[in-house]
């Protein structure tokens, strides 16, 4: 066998040509370097989710800080230092536990009530009449439960409590009633 015959045999063997399947084994086939579209879609959903979560967290923190900040009444400037006298505008009562006799699903409700008090004089009167006001609120809740024979609506309770408490007060009126906790057990 001379060298010309060897060259001919090499040409006839599979994978020995320049375009043959032997090129795949050597890694010379061109691959697309672009990432899969599914991975891009998953990554973008994760980014959007994280941004939405961050926005919700920012909104919650901002709302909490703005909502719970008491009102500053008297601001006095003493040179470089400013002093602020903060008046608390809310007065919270201890929770009310009211048994439910006429309902089938629940045995009692727990209601926590607080008031928006505009001034110190009214705040003092509310503290002074605390026991009487607690009795009024308890009676309102019991009467609403008996009247509706179910769990009363919070809006009706707030309206009724606001009206009855303002009727008893002498030094002013409360600005609002807040039901901060309402649990039916």
């Amino acid at each position: 066998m001379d060298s010309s015959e060897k060259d001919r045999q090499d040409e006839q063997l599979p994978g020995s040509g320049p375009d043959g399947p032997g090129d795949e084994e050597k890694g010379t086939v061109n691959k697309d370097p672009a990432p899969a579209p599914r991975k891009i879609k998953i990554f973008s959903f994760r980014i959007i989710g994280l941004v939405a979560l961050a926005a919700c967290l920012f909104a919650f923190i901002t709302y909490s800080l703005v909502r719970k900040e008491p009102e500053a009444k008297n601001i006095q400037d003493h040179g470089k230092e400013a002093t602020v006298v903060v008046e608390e505008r809310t007065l919270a009562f201890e929770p009310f536990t009211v048994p439910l006799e006429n309902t089938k699903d629940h045995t009692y409700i727990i209601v926590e009530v607080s008031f928006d008090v505009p001034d110190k004089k009214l705040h003092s009167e509310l503290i002074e009449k605390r026991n009487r006001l607690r009795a009024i609120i308890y009676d309102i809740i019991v009467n609403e439960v008996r009247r509706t024979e179910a769990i009363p609506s919070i809006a009706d309770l707030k309206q009724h409590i606001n009206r009855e408490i303002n009727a008893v007060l002498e030094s002013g009126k409360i600005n609002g009633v807040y039901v901060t906790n309402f649990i039916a057990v």
Side-chain angles (χ1 to χ4, degrees):
M1 216 195 224
D2 63 2
S3 66
S4 64
E5 286 180 5
K6 272 189 175 180
D7 290 339
R8 274 190 239 143
Q9 282 181 352
D10 286 341
E11 290 175 3
Q12 294 174 357
L13 292 176
S16 61
D19 293 328
D23 291 338
E24 292 175 359
E25 294 172 7
K26 295 179 184 176
T28 58
V29 176
N30 293 336
K31 292 184 180 178
D32 188 19
R38 180 167 168 79
K39 288 183 179 180
I40 292 173
K41 191 181 241 184
I42 290 172
F43 180 74
S44 64
F45 279 129
R46 286 183 180 167
I47 294 296
I48 291 170
L50 287 174
V51 169
L53 181 65
C56 289
L57 183 62
F58 175 75
F60 174 75
I61 290 171
T62 303
Y63 175 76
S64 296
L65 292 176
V66 169
R67 182 75 176 137
K68 292 185 179 183
E69 184 176 310
E71 186 176 317
K73 289 287 185 183
N74 300 327
I75 300 175
Q76 301 167 352
D77 189 13
H78 299 288
K80 293 181 181 179
E81 297 178 6
T83 59
V84 177
V85 178
V86 177
E87 293 184 11
E88 191 63 39
R89 289 190 52 128
T90 59
L91 176 67
F93 277 23
E94 295 173 8
F96 296 90
T97 303
V98 180
L100 301 175
E101 299 167 358
N102 300 335
T103 61
K104 298 175 186 175
D105 298 332
H106 306 287
T107 56
Y108 61 93
I109 59 174
I110 299 171
V111 181
E112 289 183 35
V113 178
S114 61
F115 302 106
D116 183 9
V117 184
D119 59 12
K120 286 184 179 183
K121 187 176 179 183
L122 184 59
H123 194 272
S124 299
E125 182 182 359
L126 285 169
I127 291 173
E128 183 180 309
K129 295 181 178 181
R130 174 170 260 168
N131 291 334
R132 183 175 174 201
L133 298 177
R134 282 189 60 81
I136 291 170
I137 295 170
Y138 186 85
D139 289 342
I140 290 170
I141 296 170
V142 168
N143 290 336
E144 284 292 316
V145 168
R146 285 185 188 148
R147 185 180 63 83
T148 61
E149 295 183 1
I151 304 296
S153 76
I154 294 174
D156 290 343
L157 278 177
K158 286 170 55 173
Q159 184 181 23
H160 201 133
I161 290 170
N162 193 9
R163 185 175 55 244
E164 293 297 320
I165 296 299
N166 280 331
V168 172
L169 298 175
E170 298 168 357
S171 61
K173 296 187 182 285
I174 56 174
N175 291 336
V177 176
Y178 304 109
V179 175
T180 56
N181 200 358
F182 188 86
I183 302 172
V185 181

